[in-house]
Amino acid sequence: VASVAALKCHVTGEEEVTSTDCASADETICSGPVFVEYTGIKDTSVEYACGACADSGKQAAGECAECITGDDCNAIDAGADFMCDNYELKDAVWNKTETQTTCQRLTGTAAVCRMPGAKADETAHFTNGGCGP
């Protein structure tokens, strides 16, 4: 009788996340945190795991995702972080501040920073510290 190979999922360990054989050969789901482009992992308390999201509330909130597309489908392939300038609106003029924001992205995503234009709205366009398009 041929044995069925267990699904592999990325699993949160004590010190790192590793690709691990799931305990049950019947397991078909991997789960883990949601990555938001230019921001990073939405909720760092969500663990990578074999099986469904441990907290259905976090799944409903878009903080935990499930996948059924095969081995290690819950892996996040993060690219290199990059820095973007921050701007503030003072007396109707945009000024570059002395601080920068660390932006996070997936591999293959362009490193893009925002700069204020004449019609930039502080609350709509600079909610992520200048990261992203």
Side-chain angles (χ1 to χ4, degrees):
V1 176
S3 64
V4 176
L7 177 68
K8 284 180 163 291
C9 295
H10 271 63
V11 174
T12 303
E14 288 186 33
E15 295 184 23
E16 63 184 358
V17 174
T18 57
S19 177
T20 305
D21 289 330
C22 296
S24 170
D26 296 330
E27 187 60 71
T28 60
I29 299 172
C30 296
S31 62
V34 171
F35 188 93
V36 178
E37 286 285 16
Y38 304 108
T39 302
I41 292 178
K42 194 169 184 179
D43 182 345
T44 57
S45 72
V46 174
E47 295 190 345
Y48 295 83
C50 291
C53 292
D55 182 337
S56 60
K58 289 192 182 283
Q59 184 181 14
E63 297 165 348
C64 182
E66 297 175 356
C67 57
I68 57 170
T69 55
D71 286 346
D72 296 324
C73 61
N74 63 338
I76 294 175
D77 187 10
D81 291 351
F82 62 99
M83 303 300 288
C84 285
D85 292 325
N86 292 327
Y87 295 86
E88 68 179 354
L89 185 61
K90 187 172 183 180
D91 300 325
V93 177
W94 286 100
N95 298 292
K96 188 178 347 179
T97 66
E98 292 182 17
T99 60
Q100 291 186 311
T101 298
T102 301
C103 307
Q104 299 176 2
R105 61 188 167 142
L106 295 173
T107 297
T109 298
V112 178
C113 296
R114 296 180 192 164
M115 293 178 61
K119 296 181 180 182
D121 179 295
E122 187 173 31
T123 58
H125 298 118
F126 290 91
T127 57
N128 195 24
C131 299

